[in-house]
Amino acid sequence: MAKGLQGFFWTMLLLLCIIQELGAWAMHTAVEDPDLGQPGDPALLASGRVKRGWVWNQFFVVEEYTGTEPLYVGKIHSDSDEGDGSIKYTISGEGAGTIFLIDEITGDIHATERLDREQKTFYTLRAQARDRQTDQLLEPESEFIIKVQDINDSEPRFLEGPYIGSVAELSPIGTSVMQVMASDADDPTYGSSARVVYSVLEGEQHFTVDSKTGVIRTAVADLDRETQDRYEVVIRATDMAGQLGGLSGSTTVTIVVTDVNDNPPRFPQKMYQFSIVETAPVGTAIGRVKADDSDVGENTDMMYQVKDEEGVEMFKVTTDSNTQEAIITVQKPLDYESKKVHTVVVEALNKFVDPRFMDLGTFRDQTIVRVSVLDVDEPPEFRPPSDLMEVQEDAHVGSVVGVVTALDPDTANHPVRYAIDRSTDADRIFDIDANTGAIVTGKVLDRETAGWHNITVLAMEADNHSQVSRASLRIRILDVNDNPPELATPYEAAVCEDAKPGQLIQTISVVDRDEPQSGHHFYFTLAPEATNNHHFSLLDIKDNTAAVHTQRMGFNRQEQDVYLLPILVVDSGPPALSSTGTLTIRVCGCDSSGAIQSCNSTAFVVSATLSPGALIALLVCVLILVVLVLLILTLKRHHKSHLTSEDDEDMRDNVIKYNDEGGGEQDTEAYDMSALRSLYDFSEIKGGDGGGGPGEGVLSRNTASELRALPQWVQSPDLDFSVFRDYICRKVEQADEDLSVPPYDSFQTYAFEGLDSPMPSLSSINTWSSGSEQDFSYLGGWGPRFRQLAALYAGRRAEDDGEEL
């Protein structure tokens, strides 16, 4: 059928072309001279002479031509063409030589390719007529247009898809959902190829579409989101105004049904049961309940409330904004012994109610919550909860201050025992009877020391001390008049020598540590011992103060410079207590204006004249002196240590250099080992060895006398030190000949004492000679410093002589 329609269209187009060919019109352009302008020049038209011009039809070519032969487009012709083939026709411009070919002799134009109007609607070309022999232009070049004729070859297309729309549930019939639009690429100015109409292919039972505008509307009024929340609607667009043979395209439109608050909340159960212990603190969550709502979004937002009076008093309901659950919490303390079960009515209602759907019913629901209170072992409770007691401060030890009472709230009603938390009564001022709860005094009370006592009383079950209750108790100590009044300060007054009678010299006041409820009232009078006083008088001013006045004319401080006035002060009781205070009055010298100049008391004058500034200056001076003394001592000590360090610096004469080292104890070949067992060589000082002159004999005797004074552990006449002497002499010679040795190096021998000393050896420890062979009497001539030494040795000699006898 589609091929038949296509052949019908081609037939209609060919007929249209023939009609256009028969109704062709000619264009004439007269040119008198080839050098004149383009055809239609006003100058040429005004001359009225037309010699030759172009003749052609309006050119059209049908798109999508599928024939095997080139498609004839039209013919260009010059009226100067006599048909003898002398004129050659050519074209140039868009598609010339490729899409469009021209017959040079006849001027016929053919299309050699398949054209598409949707890609290009027309082509602009230029025509030329030339003399075939001379190739000269016979006609001016002229422009013409080949228009592509449209056919219905493009179906409507929905370019903006996929489409998604929405409509509220329960919307009335005809509610606009959205608009769809299809586009047709065919020529809207030619025929009905681009005229599109819309229709519903699927979903027509719920939605309709306007055939001209493409607006989709609801077809029913009972769209229910809870039943179906989306619809897939297929819309078709057909060109040719929907006539037979038109092309069509379709698209799918998704329509989402949005929610409205048309469903009330509903509890899935009519009763809920929870349990909680009676000791649960206020604010403890008991449980959660939730009402279901078929709506979505904010339409499911709910509020919960307690409807019955009992529930409002005992429980509180809040809403969890995240889960939309009702949270039931304890609002007042629970008591199993008072009530074991509580019934609460909880109501749920929507926050946002749409007035359009109020006729659907009430948007709230109720349920019953049953709360069971569980019994637990509770500590005793104080009844009544009084926290204030009073006691007189003169109460005897053991006096009852008050009684506290506590009961076990449990059904078992266990006996209760009492105690005082000693951290609040560390001094044990109060005690409590463990069975009765009577609080008694444990020590003597004194309101002036502590007027209030705060203690904590403990009440616990007799058989379970872990169940403890605490009660804070304030005990007020009531005042009794047990402190006499006293003068506020040790008063001292001054009176001028030239004072006149009745002159005020001092106003006195008193203090009392007691606090009577009616206030203080004091009475002043002179003590009995001051009855014969004629110098001063005391006046009670009746406002708890008194004034002291002079009673005579003038005073003489040479006769008496100080007066002591005893004053008796009595309080109002009961009982009335009194005390005597002394007012010290000094007689001073005054100037004419009455200002005191001086008194006999030096301490009083000094204390009055010595200012704080002077005291500070004195302290600063003392501090400066102490700092200076410490500085001087530090400098002296530093100077002394510096001198000592300088004296110890030169140690150069004590350096001795030894370059040879022995072979150790096992080396017996290097030198004679026997030489190491003695410190001296006695071979040269023996009397009978070697002869010698008289000088040598003297030397031997002197040396022998010294030998007897050496210690026993060095006495060995057979030892020979010649090896060491020779070695030391060689070393001394080498050192004397070596010029590189520093001048400080030296070698000194301390083995012998020398021969020129006038004093013999003083050693008496294990010498060769006995005590009887030595005479220490010469020590007496050495002076007083050696007198004690001489006495010691002389006494020892006398003892030795006695032993010998």
Side-chain angles (χ1 to χ4, degrees):
M1 180 177 179
K3 293 182 178 180
L5 290 175
Q6 189 173 4
F8 172 76
F9 286 139
W10 283 114
T11 303
M12 293 298 294
L13 288 175
L14 290 176
L15 292 174
L16 180 61
C17 292
I18 294 172
I19 294 173
Q20 290 175 348
E21 185 70 21
L22 293 176
W25 56 278
M27 292 182 62
H28 300 275
T29 303
V31 180
E32 186 173 339
D33 192 286
D35 297 331
L36 294 177
Q38 297 293 331
D41 191 341
L44 297 178
L45 295 175
S47 64
R49 295 176 296 170
V50 179
K51 294 182 63 178
R52 59 184 179 269
W54 286 104
V55 178
W56 62 60
N57 298 326
Q58 186 176 6
F59 300 122
F60 292 92
V61 61
V62 180
E63 68 170 336
E64 302 297 340
Y65 174 70
T66 58
T68 58
E69 297 294 330
L71 179 63
Y72 178 76
V73 178
K75 181 182 182 67
I76 60 174
H77 181 71
S78 175
D79 57 359
S80 61
D81 186 3
E82 297 180 355
D84 54 0
S86 61
I87 297 177
K88 180 176 71 175
Y89 297 98
T90 61
I91 58 174
S92 62
E94 296 177 337
T98 56
I99 300 175
F100 302 103
L101 299 178
I102 187 172
D103 190 320
E104 296 180 353
I105 298 175
T106 62
D108 293 333
I109 300 174
H110 291 81
T112 61
E113 295 183 4
R114 184 177 180 179
L115 305 180
D116 187 0
R117 191 205 66 84
E118 284 72 32
Q119 294 182 357
K120 191 172 181 64
T121 58
F122 63 88
Y123 296 85
T124 302
L125 295 94
R126 291 176 296 277
Q128 297 175 350
R130 295 178 179 271
D131 188 289
R132 189 176 295 276
Q133 299 297 328
T134 62
D135 200 31
Q136 291 183 353
L137 285 174
L138 301 179
E139 299 287 350
E141 184 178 79
S142 181
E143 184 177 278
F144 65 94
I145 294 175
I146 299 177
K147 188 175 182 181
V148 180
Q149 189 71 44
D150 182 46
I151 63 172
N152 189 19
D153 60 341
S154 298
E155 71 277 2
R157 297 178 180 272
F158 292 92
L159 302 179
E160 298 179 2
Y163 294 91
I164 299 177
S166 63
V167 63
E169 63 176 331
L170 301 181
S171 296
I173 297 175
T175 301
S176 176
V177 179
M178 65 180 303
Q179 184 181 19
V180 295
M181 295 186 66
S183 176
D184 196 319
D186 293 328
D187 189 0
T189 63
Y190 179 76
S192 300
S193 300
R195 291 181 59 189
V196 179
V197 294
Y198 302 92
S199 60
V200 179
L201 283 182
E202 296 180 10
E204 63 275 5
Q205 65 273 25
H206 296 101
F207 299 95
T208 62
V209 64
D210 189 294
S211 61
K212 295 181 179 180
T213 62
V215 175
I216 302 174
R217 301 179 184 275
T218 58
V220 294
D222 58 351
L223 291 177
D224 187 9
R225 188 202 63 82
E226 289 73 29
T227 303
Q228 184 174 353
D229 60 352
R230 66 177 56 228
Y231 294 88
E232 303 291 339
V233 180
V234 179
I235 304 297
R236 181 174 61 184
T238 306
D239 60 10
M240 297 296 293
Q243 297 178 4
L244 184 64
L247 303 179
S248 63
S250 62
T251 186
T252 300
V253 179
T254 302
I255 300 176
V256 178
V257 180
T258 59
D259 185 57
V260 297
N261 194 5
D262 59 337
N263 293 282
R266 290 289 181 263
F267 284 103
Q269 299 176 214
K270 288 303 179 182
M271 178 178 290
Y272 296 86
Q273 291 189 357
F274 299 101
S275 60
I276 188 170
V277 296
E278 60 177 332
T279 56
V282 174
T284 302
I286 300 175
R288 293 175 174 238
V289 296
K290 182 180 180 181
D292 297 331
D293 194 330
S294 301
D295 297 322
V296 295
E298 68 176 11
N299 294 324
T300 61
D301 292 348
M302 299 184 204
M303 294 184 302
Y304 296 91
Q305 58 186 5
V306 179
K307 294 300 294 182
D308 60 309
E309 295 181 0
E310 178 189 356
V312 170
E313 182 181 359
M314 298 297 299
F315 303 97
K316 181 181 179 181
V317 176
T318 57
T319 304
D320 189 331
S321 58
N322 295 324
T323 61
Q324 298 301 316
E325 292 178 314
I327 306 174
I328 305 171
T329 57
V330 178
Q331 185 162 301
K332 291 184 65 176
L334 303 174
D335 186 12
Y336 172 82
E337 289 72 24
S338 299
K339 192 169 185 177
K340 300 178 177 59
V341 178
H342 296 268
T343 302
V344 185
V345 178
V346 178
E347 183 180 64
L349 63 158
N350 283 128
K351 278 186 179 181
F352 309 103
V353 179
D354 195 333
R356 296 177 300 171
F357 307 107
M358 293 297 295
D359 56 345
L360 297 179
T362 175
F363 283 80
R364 60 183 63 199
D365 193 19
Q366 293 182 351
T367 189
I368 297 175
V369 178
R370 182 185 176 93
V371 180
S372 299
V373 182
L374 304 179
D375 185 28
V376 295
D377 189 7
E378 298 176 276
E381 294 179 356
F382 286 92
R383 299 177 184 177
S386 175
D387 61 347
L388 177 62
M389 292 183 181
E390 296 179 345
V391 61
Q392 296 285 341
E393 66 173 323
D394 59 350
H396 299 290
V397 174
S399 300
V400 177
V401 179
V403 179
V404 294
T405 304
L407 299 177
D408 185 7
D410 298 324
T411 55
N413 194 15
H414 296 96
V416 178
R417 297 293 180 264
Y418 303 93
I420 294 177
D421 186 353
R422 289 304 173 185
S423 64
T424 61
D425 185 26
D427 296 333
R428 295 183 175 270
I429 299 175
F430 301 97
D431 292 323
I432 189 171
D433 189 292
N435 297 320
T436 64
I439 299 176
V440 297
T441 58
K443 290 184 178 180
V444 177
L445 304 177
D446 185 11
R447 189 205 63 83
E448 288 71 32
T449 303
W452 287 88
H453 295 274
N454 297 318
I455 64 175
T456 300
V457 179
L458 309 178
M460 63 200 78
E461 294 182 3
D463 55 351
N464 185 5
H465 288 183
S466 63
Q467 296 296 332
V468 180
S469 295
R470 298 173 179 267
S472 297
L473 184 63
R474 296 181 301 157
I475 301 177
R476 180 182 179 183
I477 309 302
L478 301 179
D479 184 44
V480 295
N481 192 25
D482 58 347
N483 293 281
E486 299 175 351
L487 294 181
T489 61
Y491 286 104
E492 289 191 5
V495 62
C496 296
E497 289 183 297
D498 57 352
K500 298 178 180 180
Q503 182 176 344
L504 176 65
I505 61 174
Q506 183 67 47
T507 300
I508 61 176
S509 61
V510 297
V511 293
D512 194 336
R513 297 174 63 189
D514 295 323
E515 292 183 359
Q517 295 181 356
S518 58
H520 290 289
H521 298 284
F522 303 110
Y523 305 96
F524 300 87
T525 184
L526 293 178
E529 59 267 25
T531 306
N532 298 325
N533 170 57
H534 301 290
H535 307 292
F536 304 97
S537 63
L538 179 67
L539 176 62
D540 191 346
I541 306 177
K542 305 299 182 182
D543 62 349
N544 295 333
T545 62
V548 179
H549 298 82
T550 57
Q551 199 172 358
R552 74 174 192 177
M553 175 70 73
F555 295 87
N556 188 352
R557 58 177 171 172
Q558 299 298 329
E559 296 178 358
Q560 185 174 352
D561 60 346
V562 177
Y563 292 88
L564 301 178
L565 185 64
I567 299 174
L568 179 65
V569 184
V570 184
D571 61 16
S572 57
L577 300 178
S578 63
S579 68
T580 300
T582 301
L583 172 63
T584 302
I585 304 174
R586 299 183 184 277
V587 180
C588 302
C590 304
D591 58 11
S592 58
S593 62
I596 296 175
Q597 295 295 323
S598 64
C599 297
N600 288 343
S601 177
T602 305
F604 180 79
V605 175
V606 171
S607 62
T609 58
L610 190 58
S611 64
L615 292 175
I616 294 174
L618 182 61
L619 293 175
V620 171
C621 293
V622 172
L623 182 61
I624 292 175
L625 289 176
V626 172
V627 172
L628 289 176
V629 170
L630 293 176
L631 182 61
I632 292 172
L633 293 176
T634 304
L635 291 176
K636 285 186 175 181
R637 180 176 298 177
H638 178 72
H639 181 66
K640 184 181 292 184
S641 63
H642 181 69
L643 293 176
T644 303
S645 63
E646 289 181 353
D647 294 341
D648 296 338
E649 287 181 358
D650 193 0
M651 303 293 295
R652 57 192 178 185
D653 289 340
N654 298 328
V655 178
I656 300 175
K657 182 177 181 182
Y658 300 96
N659 292 326
D660 293 341
E661 187 174 310
E665 296 180 358
Q666 303 300 326
D667 186 3
T668 59
E669 301 297 332
Y671 45 81
D672 187 4
M673 292 296 295
S674 63
L676 297 176
R677 297 187 176 92
S678 178
L679 297 176
Y680 302 98
D681 183 10
F682 298 97
S683 60
E684 297 181 1
I685 60 175
K686 293 180 180 179
D689 295 343
E696 294 179 357
V698 174
L699 178 61
S700 299
R701 288 192 299 270
N702 292 338
T703 305
S705 64
E706 293 181 0
L707 181 61
R708 290 193 296 269
L710 293 176
Q712 291 183 355
W713 61 274
V714 298
Q715 294 179 4
S716 179
D718 299 332
L719 297 179
D720 185 5
F721 284 90
S722 60
V723 176
F724 296 103
R725 185 180 295 108
D726 295 339
Y727 174 76
I728 292 173
C729 290
R730 288 197 304 272
K731 289 298 182 181
V732 171
E733 292 176 359
Q734 293 177 3
D736 292 340
E737 295 175 358
D738 189 2
L739 299 179
S740 62
V741 176
Y744 303 116
D745 289 351
S746 63
F747 183 86
Q748 300 186 24
T749 302
Y750 300 98
F752 301 100
E753 189 173 3
L755 302 177
D756 295 332
S757 175
M759 300 302 174
S761 174
L762 299 180
S763 175
S764 62
I765 302 174
N766 296 326
T767 59
W768 283 99
S769 63
S770 64
S772 59
E773 297 177 359
Q774 299 186 30
D775 186 9
F776 296 100
S777 61
Y778 60 87
L779 295 175
W782 284 15
R785 294 185 178 182
F786 296 92
R787 186 173 302 165
Q788 183 69 20
L789 183 63
L792 292 174
Y793 279 92
R796 183 174 180 180
R797 180 181 178 87
E799 292 177 358
D800 295 340
D801 293 343
E803 292 176 357
E804 292 176 359
L805 293 176

Coordinates of all heavy atoms in Angstrom, one line a residue, residues 8 11 69 163 228 274 319 355 417 429 529-530 547 555 614 697 728:
F8 N 1.3 7.4 -6.5 CA 0.3 8.4 -6.6 C 0.9 9.8 -6.5 O 0.6 10.7 -7.2 CB -0.8 8.1 -5.6 CG -1.8 9.2 -5.5 CD1 -2.8 9.3 -6.5 CD2 -1.8 10.2 -4.5 CE1 -3.8 10.3 -6.5 CE2 -2.8 11.2 -4.5 CZ -3.8 11.2 -5.4
T11 N 2.9 10.8 -9.5 CA 2.0 11.2 -10.7 C 1.5 12.6 -10.5 O 1.4 13.4 -11.5 CB 0.8 10.2 -10.8 OG1 1.4 8.8 -10.9 CG2 -0.1 10.5 -11.9
E69 N 16.7 7.6 -14.5 CA 17.1 8.6 -15.4 C 17.2 10.0 -14.8 O 16.5 10.2 -13.8 CB 16.1 8.8 -16.6 CG 16.0 7.5 -17.4 CD 17.3 7.2 -18.2 OE1 18.0 8.2 -18.5 OE2 17.6 6.0 -18.4
Y163 N 9.2 12.6 28.4 CA 8.4 13.6 29.2 C 8.0 13.0 30.5 O 7.7 11.8 30.6 CB 7.2 13.9 28.4 CG 7.5 14.7 27.1 CD1 7.7 14.0 25.9 CD2 7.5 16.1 27.1 CE1 7.9 14.7 24.7 CE2 7.8 16.8 25.9 CZ 8.0 16.1 24.7 OH 8.2 16.8 23.6
Q228 N -2.2 3.7 42.8 CA -1.3 3.7 41.7 C -0.6 5.1 41.7 O -1.3 6.1 41.5 CB -1.9 3.4 40.3 CG -0.9 3.3 39.2 CD -1.5 2.8 37.9 OE1 -2.7 2.4 37.9 NE2 -0.8 2.8 36.8
F274 N 2.9 -1.6 78.5 CA 4.3 -1.3 78.9 C 4.4 -1.5 80.4 O 3.4 -1.4 81.1 CB 4.8 0.1 78.5 CG 4.7 0.3 77.1 CD1 3.7 1.1 76.5 CD2 5.7 -0.1 76.2 CE1 3.6 1.3 75.1 CE2 5.7 0.1 74.9 CZ 4.6 0.8 74.3
T319 N 6.8 13.8 70.4 CA 6.9 13.2 69.0 C 8.4 13.2 68.5 O 9.0 14.2 68.6 CB 6.0 14.0 68.0 OG1 4.7 14.1 68.5 CG2 6.0 13.4 66.7
P355 N -8.1 21.4 54.0 CA -9.5 21.6 54.2 C -10.4 21.0 53.1 O -11.6 20.8 53.3 CB -9.6 23.1 54.4 CG -8.4 23.7 53.7 CD -7.3 22.7 53.9
R417 N 16.1 2.1 110.9 CA 17.1 2.5 111.8 C 17.7 3.9 111.4 O 17.7 4.1 110.2 CB 18.3 1.5 111.9 CG 17.8 0.1 112.4 CD 17.4 0.2 113.9 NE 17.0 -1.1 114.4 CZ 15.7 -1.5 114.5 NH1 14.8 -0.6 114.1 NH2 15.4 -2.6 115.0
I429 N 28.4 17.0 117.9 CA 27.6 17.9 118.7 C 26.2 17.3 119.0 O 25.6 17.5 120.0 CB 27.5 19.3 118.1 CG1 28.9 19.9 117.9 CG2 26.6 20.2 118.9 CD1 28.9 21.2 117.2
E529 N 33.4 51.7 143.1 CA 34.7 52.2 143.6 C 35.0 53.7 143.1 O 35.9 54.3 143.6 CB 35.8 51.3 143.2 CG 35.9 51.1 141.7 CD 35.2 49.9 141.2 OE1 34.2 49.5 141.9 OE2 35.5 49.3 140.2
A530 N 34.2 54.1 142.2 CA 34.3 55.5 141.7 C 33.3 56.4 142.3 O 33.0 57.5 141.7 CB 34.3 55.5 140.2
A547 N 28.1 59.4 127.8 CA 29.1 60.5 127.6 C 29.8 60.8 128.9 O 29.2 60.8 130.0 CB 28.4 61.7 127.1
F555 N 43.0 70.9 135.5 CA 43.7 69.8 136.0 C 45.2 70.1 136.0 O 45.7 71.0 135.2 CB 43.5 68.5 135.1 CG 42.1 68.1 135.1 CD1 41.1 68.6 134.3 CD2 41.7 67.1 136.1 CE1 39.8 68.1 134.3 CE2 40.4 66.6 136.1 CZ 39.4 67.2 135.2
A614 N 57.8 57.6 107.8 CA 59.1 57.5 108.5 C 59.5 56.1 108.8 O 60.7 55.7 108.7 CB 59.0 58.3 109.8
G697 N 138.7 7.8 106.4 CA 138.4 7.2 107.7 C 137.3 8.0 108.4 O 136.4 7.5 109.0
I728 N 122.5 6.4 87.0 CA 122.1 7.7 87.2 C 123.1 8.7 86.7 O 122.8 9.8 86.1 CB 121.8 8.0 88.7 CG1 120.5 7.1 89.1 CG2 121.5 9.4 89.0 CD1 120.3 7.1 90.6

